Amino acid sequence: MKAYHIPETGAQPQLCNLPDPILAKGESLVRIKACGLNFADLLMIKGKYQDTPQAPFTLGLEMAGVVEALGPDTDGPAPGSRVAIYSGQGGLAERGAFPVERMVEIPDSMSFEDAAAFQIAYGTSHVALEHRARMQPGETLLVLGAAGGVGLTAVEIGKLMGATVIACARGADKLEAARAAGADHLIDAKTQDIREEVKALGGADVVYDPVGGEQWQAAFRACKPEARLIPIGFASGEVPQIPANHLLVKNLTVLGLYWGGYLKFRPDVLTDSMKTLLKWYDEGKLKPHVSHVLPLDRADEGLELLRTRQSTGKVVITP
């Protein structure tokens, strides 16, 4: 089978032929139909992601496909079932053997491309805003990187939860994507002062930040008293330092979130969240934004779109 594979630590990924996987107990063989790319894939290539697998491994954290077989003494979705999987690796391949506990059956109304773009982005935003920030209707949500893979989902989910959403992104095209996702107010990070614009709108109750760097600092200074800030990631490349004295003065709370971490200590948080999100999707309340769909032999192009921030929403690879 073809796979986009990292053969050894420090090596660049390459498209190569690998043997078909051998199933173990508790696993299912899945023919992969679509794989969503994530910023974490770029970090894994450099060995800088917190959950980078030991090489050799195949890239691709989340995917969707069709179950072809079950491992020995394994109960799980029957062959022929349409499933989405968060495995942390192995998605950029034609087939994969994955733990059945990491699989969720997807509704007939959901395309494989949507399913591959769904779990991490929507799951991260829903758990961040609902479980961590406990955001309430009528609060003001500031979303940084609002046209990215997770940012757009935060805009959508924020509106569903009854918030007033301020979307911050770079350039008119990206801001238009955020507006279409439901944003009430738009800030162009290239030309406008984030702090002043947010303060002019009354300040933020909740800050959702996958960017870090200078944008975090600006958002931090535009918070209302008792605001909650959620660092999701650091796409800017700069991990900001948090002045504890400012937290004290304004009674602010910083809530870290690593969505995949819940698999290790509270998997029920992710399971309950995904049930809600799939229900919303089936009801037509969520619409994943996939800006690019590319074949497996162009996976490097898809990663470059993420690296250079040329995509909006998600980039999906279809083996």
Side-chain angles (χ1 to χ4, degrees):
M1 67 174 191
K2 291 181 180 178
Y4 197 62
H5 195 68
I6 293 181
E8 58 187 25
T9 301
Q12 288 297 302
Q14 53 190 267
L15 189 64
C16 57
N17 284 306
L18 299 178
D20 282 341
I22 298 174
L23 286 176
K25 183 178 180 180
E27 293 182 334
S28 287
L29 179 67
V30 175
R31 176 171 287 278
I32 299 166
K33 297 291 188 179
C35 176
L37 297 184
N38 291 275
F39 192 77
D41 291 306
L42 297 175
L43 296 178
M44 281 188 180
I45 293 171
K46 297 179 180 179
K48 293 184 177 180
Y49 189 57
Q50 58 261 29
D51 277 342
T52 300
Q54 184 68 38
F57 70 94
T58 296
L59 286 168
L61 281 76
E62 59 179 334
M63 69 237 50
V66 177
V67 174
E68 291 192 330
L70 294 170
D73 301 319
T74 298
D75 293 323
S81 298
R82 304 169 74 251
V83 296
I85 309 153
Y86 172 77
S87 66
Q89 61 175 300
L92 288 174
E94 293 177 322
R95 286 187 179 86
F98 304 107
V100 295
E101 64 187 16
R102 296 288 188 95
M103 298 180 184
V104 58
E105 294 193 58
I106 58 176
D108 291 339
S109 61
M110 179 175 266
S111 69
F112 290 117
E113 289 82 4
D114 278 0
F118 195 81
Q119 292 181 94
I120 295 175
Y122 280 101
T124 294
S125 293
H126 185 246
V127 172
L129 299 178
E130 172 72 27
H131 179 70
R132 295 293 280 148
R134 308 290 184 186
M135 192 172 69
Q136 300 300 308
E139 291 193 306
T140 297
L141 168 66
L142 170 61
V143 181
L144 304 179
V150 291
L152 275 177
T153 65
V155 172
E156 275 190 278
I157 291 172
K159 288 302 295 180
L160 276 175
M161 292 177 65
T164 297
V165 179
I166 305 171
C168 179
R170 298 178 66 85
D173 291 346
K174 292 189 175 184
L175 286 172
E176 174 56 27
R179 185 204 61 76
D184 299 287
H185 306 283
L186 306 175
I187 298 174
D188 190 333
K190 290 200 300 185
T191 60
Q192 294 178 283
D193 186 310
I194 296 171
R195 178 193 180 193
E196 293 304 320
E197 294 294 333
V198 174
K199 288 181 69 176
L201 293 167
D205 295 294
V206 178
V207 175
Y208 181 97
D209 180 19
V211 178
E214 293 181 357
Q215 291 193 29
W216 165 276
Q217 300 294 349
F220 189 94
R221 298 169 70 189
C223 284
K224 298 179 185 179
E226 293 194 326
R228 289 88 75 206
L229 300 97
I230 317 167
I232 302 298
F234 311 105
S236 67
E238 180 183 342
V239 179
Q241 301 303 302
I242 299 169
N245 58 322
H246 291 188
L247 295 179
L248 181 152
V249 170
K250 296 183 72 174
N251 294 290
L252 303 179
T253 302
V254 177
L255 300 161
L257 176 71
Y258 168 40
W259 180 82
Y262 278 98
L263 288 167
K264 300 176 182 177
F265 67 96
R266 285 274 324 260
D268 60 295
V269 170
L270 302 191
T271 301
D272 292 344
S273 171
M274 197 54 56
K275 287 178 181 176
T276 298
L277 291 168
L278 288 172
K279 179 175 179 289
W280 284 348
Y281 179 94
D282 212 25
E283 293 171 348
K285 294 177 180 178
L286 298 176
K287 184 174 176 55
H289 181 90
V290 178
S291 63
H292 296 80
V293 178
L294 301 169
L296 184 59
D297 61 5
R298 294 174 63 189
D300 55 345
E301 294 179 40
L303 290 169
E304 186 63 16
L305 289 169
L306 296 189
R307 186 180 292 110
T308 57
R309 303 186 194 182
Q310 295 182 56
S311 60
T312 56
K314 294 284 282 191
V315 177
V316 170
I317 304 299
T318 53

